[in-house]
Amino acid sequence: MEALKNVFESKNQATSPALVTFVTAGYPTVQDTVPIMLAMQEGGADIIELGIPFSDPIADGPAIQETNVVALQQNVDYVTCLNMLREARSKGLTAPVLLMGYYNPLLAYGEDKACQDASEAGANGFIVVDLPPEEAIAFREKCARANLSYVPLIAPSTSENRIQFLASIADSFIYVVSKMGTTGSSVTGTMNSALPELIDRVRAYTDVPLAVGFGVATREHFDLVADAGADGVVIGSRLISIIKTASQNQVAQTVEAYCREISLKGQPPRRPSTTHTRSSTSRVSTTSKQQSTSAATSSLPHRFGQFGGQYVPEALWDCLVELEEAHKVAMNDPEFVKEFESFYGYMNRPSNLYKAEKLTQQAGGATIWLKREDLNHTGSHKINNAIGQILLAKRIGKTRIIAETGAGQHGVATATACARFGLECIIYMGAEDVRRQALNVFRIRMLGAKVIPVHSGSCTLKDAVNEALRDWVTNLSNTHYLIGSAIGPHPFPTIVRDFQRIIGKEIKAQLNAEIGKLPDAVVACVGGGSNAIGTFYDFIPEKSVRLIGVEAGGEGIDGDRHSATLSKGKSGVFHGVRTYVLQSPTGQIIETHSISAGLDYPGVGPEHAWLKDSGRAEYVVATDEQALRGFRMCTQLEGIIPALESSHAIWEGVRLAGTLPKEANIVICLSGRGDKDVEQISQLLPGKWEDVLDWHVPQQ
């Protein structure tokens, strides 16, 4: 930590900002990283950021995303990063080094051990992109014990109160993000003209040095940032581009030459032509720092037990606070509730509760009821949340809507709602899902929305969420991210649940009208978990009602080709929330598989994680084959074609019914209709598919 402070003190005396450079460990090869770090120092870099690779870097643009992919293909993990740092130190690296990356690999490694081992390897601190200070109270304490700096970030969207809080906890310097969006730079790009004003806003609260990054590529950019009053200038994406285009045996030399071009090493320092205050002249009192710290850390984001939270890049923090407040006020406003309910006719609510006599007969036990969310407008439960969030977005003045979709049902519902309200609509969808859900893609486009296929990662739902988050962080001023499942940072899981809980409310009232009592069990499929939490929520206090979620078992949970997050995952942080995650031992998010695009996701809503750990809900799996059998069973016995997602719940519901007495009643949430899946199934089972799959359900 002291080494970082010393850098800024010496550079201030020289009246030249510190040069902070970035490289992803293991890019372009494992063998290149140490020579690159030494070349950066030789070229005039004062501080080096060593990137820890992560599978889903939501705050990074294409250049740094690619470096993460390349590094992970070479099995670079946290241990590898520390070994590289040790080797660099042994070969003469003296510049302070910050380990920069995302939280989940550190969490998987163990926070205490991560800090201790980093200190022993010669690191000077951490920049953790998705670990804001409110979520990092324990981690910051561990850093301090190991004499490591925890570097906070400030973005253009950061509020005054929050700037004061972030400034109060900075122990070496603050990383100021110069513009909204993801990482990236261009030699022809321009710097944010409002940067001097942003630096002045921060200077009002602290004399801690400020290092500015995002968008710096040339010496001209460096000088503009220096003239704005920065104490340090961070260059990352441009260095990655330099490395990528360098000759294979000239990478280190090319990096050194570029750093010299920026640092002007060996030349007289250029005095910044600025009237802006530098870090030695502005100071806030210790008392005000203590007050701002206690005020900012007095309440944590809402959680479900240990799960939930807001593990997001700094640029999103205040936007989430605004959204939470807007949702709270709206749900307590009778006029908003009245407006939402006025669209029940449009949504086709209440959806029917149907007594499935043929399925009941097939099961030979409990009576089976189907909650017919498939009869809703757009063919699934997704319209409930889409209409609710659109009304919320209009309430806070957003005119552009983005969403992710897997099976396409949420995309269709969002595009439908946007068409109804005249809003611009962008839908992100994994390229693999675009292929297998071509009918819904056509529907979305027909409704006037734009579909953007995502070709990164596994090309499925998680990658669509990544791209939607990157879009949102770039366009916060006019854009609302309409998350479709009960996932993501607080308040999204709560928002989605609140708009989907109408499912469980209606089940309770409708079944009471039919038989005068509660069901013995409710069953729903679980991917992210929106239809399931909507089904479960009003029954959580009813201890006599079993809550059963059915995950996608894919090709079997003994291997890796499944999406059974609650059954096989571990606690981690993914897409802004602490929950169960399918991940490698080193904290990388693994690729999942399910025949149903809507369940093909490696995370799950935090409320489901809590329900599992508390024992209130049960979570089981149905394999691809069992889902197909459930699909055929429902189709040919009841004349109802269910979505493949819902077919998982059909299979388990019929199996469960066969184990219960005839006087029992279970309700299965039929979350969507299956016309979207017919073409996919016809390709999977060519010819007479009824000869391929029977519907015998073992009763065990």
Side-chain angles (χ1 to χ4, degrees):
M1 191 187 303
E2 292 303 315
L4 290 165
K5 295 178 181 178
N6 292 339
V7 164
F8 288 106
E9 287 178 8
S10 64
K11 297 303 287 190
N12 270 338
Q13 291 172 4
T15 68
S16 176
L19 172 59
V20 184
T21 57
F22 171 88
V23 63
T24 301
Y27 183 81
T29 70
V30 172
Q31 293 73 29
D32 284 316
T33 301
V34 170
I36 285 173
M37 294 172 73
L38 293 169
M40 287 174 168
Q41 176 175 270
E42 192 62 27
D46 300 292
I47 298 170
I48 296 172
E49 297 173 352
L50 182 62
I52 305 167
F54 184 52
S55 54
D56 295 83
I58 59 173
D60 289 304
I64 293 179
Q65 288 177 50
E66 181 185 355
T67 67
N68 282 263
V69 172
V70 170
L72 291 174
Q73 287 172 345
Q74 300 174 80
N75 298 314
V76 175
D77 58 15
Y78 187 66
V79 171
T80 313
C81 295
L82 297 186
N83 287 338
M84 290 173 175
L85 179 53
R86 287 189 186 94
E87 181 183 347
R89 291 292 189 214
S90 72
K91 293 184 175 180
L93 183 71
T94 57
V97 174
L98 291 163
L99 298 171
M100 185 171 188
Y102 293 78
Y103 184 42
N104 202 55
L106 299 175
L107 188 62
Y109 190 80
E111 290 179 312
D112 278 314
K113 185 171 171 55
C115 292
Q116 292 166 4
D117 291 357
S119 180
E120 291 170 3
N124 301 89
F126 288 96
I127 301 176
V128 188
V129 178
D130 59 345
L131 189 65
E134 290 84 349
E135 300 290 5
I137 294 171
F139 184 73
R140 284 191 282 135
E141 291 173 353
K142 290 165 186 174
C143 285
R145 285 198 297 269
N147 198 30
L148 296 171
S149 176
Y150 168 88
V151 179
L153 293 92
I154 287 177
S157 60
T158 306
S159 65
E160 295 295 321
N161 286 341
R162 186 161 174 78
I163 287 175
Q164 184 175 4
F165 164 55
L166 293 168
S168 74
I169 58 117
D171 52 33
S172 61
F173 72 97
I174 296 171
Y175 189 132
V176 178
V177 177
S178 69
K179 61 181 181 179
M180 299 302 291
T182 58
T183 55
S185 65
S186 167
V187 293
T188 59
T190 57
M191 297 304 299
N192 181 4
S193 60
L195 180 59
E197 179 186 346
L198 174 59
I199 290 177
D200 284 347
R201 285 173 58 206
V202 183
R203 285 272 183 254
Y205 298 105
T206 186
D207 62 351
V208 171
L210 309 180
V212 174
F214 276 50
V216 180
T218 65
R219 178 66 203 196
E220 181 183 0
H221 291 158
F222 185 99
D223 289 340
L224 286 170
V225 174
D227 292 346
D231 303 286
V233 182
V234 184
I235 302 180
S237 293
R238 180 56 185 164
L239 265 165
I240 296 302
S241 299
I242 293 290
I243 292 169
K244 183 176 181 179
T245 57
S247 300
Q248 188 173 357
N249 59 350
Q250 293 290 311
V251 174
Q253 294 91 326
T254 305
V255 167
E256 181 181 339
Y258 173 75
C259 289
R260 284 184 180 276
E261 177 186 322
I262 300 297
S263 69
L264 303 181
K265 185 177 180 180
Q267 302 180 38
R270 173 193 175 276
R271 184 179 298 273
S273 55
T274 177
T275 58
H276 296 278
T277 308
R278 298 184 69 79
S279 65
S280 59
T281 61
S282 176
R283 188 177 297 275
V284 292
S285 70
T286 303
T287 302
S288 66
K289 284 190 177 187
Q290 290 171 342
Q291 289 172 344
S292 65
T293 301
S294 61
T297 60
S298 59
S299 66
L300 285 172
H302 182 62
R303 293 178 181 273
F304 308 95
Q306 66 168 307
F307 303 106
Q310 293 172 310
Y311 297 84
V312 294
E314 172 58 31
L316 291 179
W317 185 270
D318 281 303
C319 183
L320 291 171
V321 171
E322 174 196 35
L323 183 60
E324 177 184 10
E325 182 61 23
H327 178 65
K328 249 191 250 179
V329 172
M331 297 308 288
N332 288 305
D333 180 354
E335 289 303 310
F336 178 84
V337 175
K338 182 179 177 181
E339 183 181 16
F340 177 57
E341 291 176 348
S342 74
F343 284 93
Y344 279 7
Y346 182 75
M347 297 152 63
N348 199 33
R349 302 220 69 88
S351 63
N352 291 342
L353 185 67
Y354 168 71
K355 187 176 181 179
E357 294 181 349
K358 298 293 288 293
L359 286 177
T360 299
Q361 182 180 347
Q362 171 67 23
T367 300
I368 296 172
W369 303 79
L370 300 180
K371 180 58 173 165
R372 297 293 306 276
E373 292 296 294
D374 60 312
L375 296 180
N376 291 349
H377 182 37
T378 73
S380 80
H381 68 292
K382 295 294 187 182
I383 193 68
N384 307 328
N385 174 57
I387 292 292
Q389 284 205 53
I390 288 285
L391 294 175
L392 192 60
K394 286 173 62 66
R395 191 179 177 98
I396 57 179
K398 306 299 184 182
T399 58
R400 178 176 179 268
I401 304 298
I402 61 172
E404 86 297 334
T405 196
Q409 292 296 83
H410 176 57
V412 170
T414 302
T416 297
C418 286
R420 170 62 180 78
F421 290 97
L423 298 174
E424 180 184 359
C425 183
I426 309 293
I427 305 295
Y428 289 93
M429 192 171 188
E432 170 61 14
D433 294 339
V434 168
R435 180 196 65 78
R436 57 183 173 178
Q437 296 294 335
L439 180 59
N440 272 343
V441 172
F442 180 74
R443 283 189 178 125
I444 293 167
R445 288 173 172 157
M446 188 168 61
L447 287 160
K450 182 179 182 181
V451 177
I452 300 181
V454 177
H455 295 277
S456 59
S458 57
C459 305
T460 56
L461 181 57
K462 84 172 179 69
D463 310 293
V465 175
N466 289 341
E467 286 305 315
L469 285 167
R470 291 176 183 125
D471 182 316
W472 193 35
V473 78
T474 306
N475 300 290
L476 285 176
S477 60
N478 69 337
T479 298
H480 174 67
Y481 178 15
L482 204 163
I483 286 183
S485 199
I487 59 171
H490 177 69
F492 281 113
T494 301
I495 290 173
V496 173
R497 181 203 68 205
D498 286 351
F499 290 132
Q500 293 292 3
R501 66 178 292 194
I502 187 61
I503 302 171
K505 279 184 176 180
E506 288 180 1
I507 291 172
K508 185 179 281 191
Q510 289 168 327
L511 196 63
N512 184 64
E514 289 281 351
I515 63 173
K517 61 180 182 179
L518 295 170
D520 294 274
V522 291
V523 182
C525 63
V526 178
S530 60
N531 92 92
I533 201 62
T535 301
F536 293 172
Y537 187 68
D538 273 56
F539 291 104
I540 292 173
E542 309 289 355
K543 302 301 184 184
S544 65
V545 181
R546 292 172 64 186
L547 312 178
I548 301 172
V550 189
E551 296 190 288
E555 296 176 3
I557 60 174
D558 292 334
D560 294 329
R561 287 183 56 76
H562 61 78
S563 300
T565 306
L566 288 163
S567 301
K568 301 296 287 186
K570 295 180 179 178
S571 177
V573 170
F574 177 54
H575 285 158
V577 62
R578 185 187 285 257
T579 185
Y580 275 91
V581 181
L582 289 171
Q583 57 184 308
S584 73
T586 59
Q588 305 300 332
I589 310 305
I590 64 174
E591 294 186 6
T592 55
H593 163 78
S594 172
I595 194 172
S596 55
L599 303 184
D600 199 351
Y601 184 68
V604 69
E607 197 160 7
H608 284 294
W610 169 71
L611 287 170
K612 169 188 164 65
D613 273 15
S614 67
R616 179 63 190 92
E618 309 162 44
Y619 295 90
V620 298
V621 302
T623 64
D624 288 349
E625 182 177 331
Q626 289 168 335
L628 285 168
R629 293 182 190 278
F631 179 93
R632 182 188 172 205
M633 181 173 19
C634 189
T635 299
Q636 295 195 342
L637 286 179
E638 295 290 351
I640 298 171
I641 302 176
L644 278 173
E645 291 78 16
S646 311
S647 298
H648 290 72
I650 294 288
W651 174 267
E652 174 58 24
V654 174
R655 188 207 66 77
L656 175 67
T659 69
L660 298 175
K662 290 185 182 296
E663 59 269 22
N665 292 268
I666 71 168
V667 178
I668 302 171
C669 182
L670 189 56
S671 58
R673 66 177 181 239
D675 46 345
K676 68 182 179 63
D677 298 313
V678 169
E679 182 179 0
Q680 180 189 358
I681 292 172
S682 71
Q683 294 169 352
L684 286 169
L685 303 171
K688 294 185 177 181
W689 72 292
E690 64 270 21
D691 294 337
V692 180
L693 290 176
D694 65 41
W695 61 51
H696 174 69
V697 180
Q699 296 175 6
Q700 54 190 16

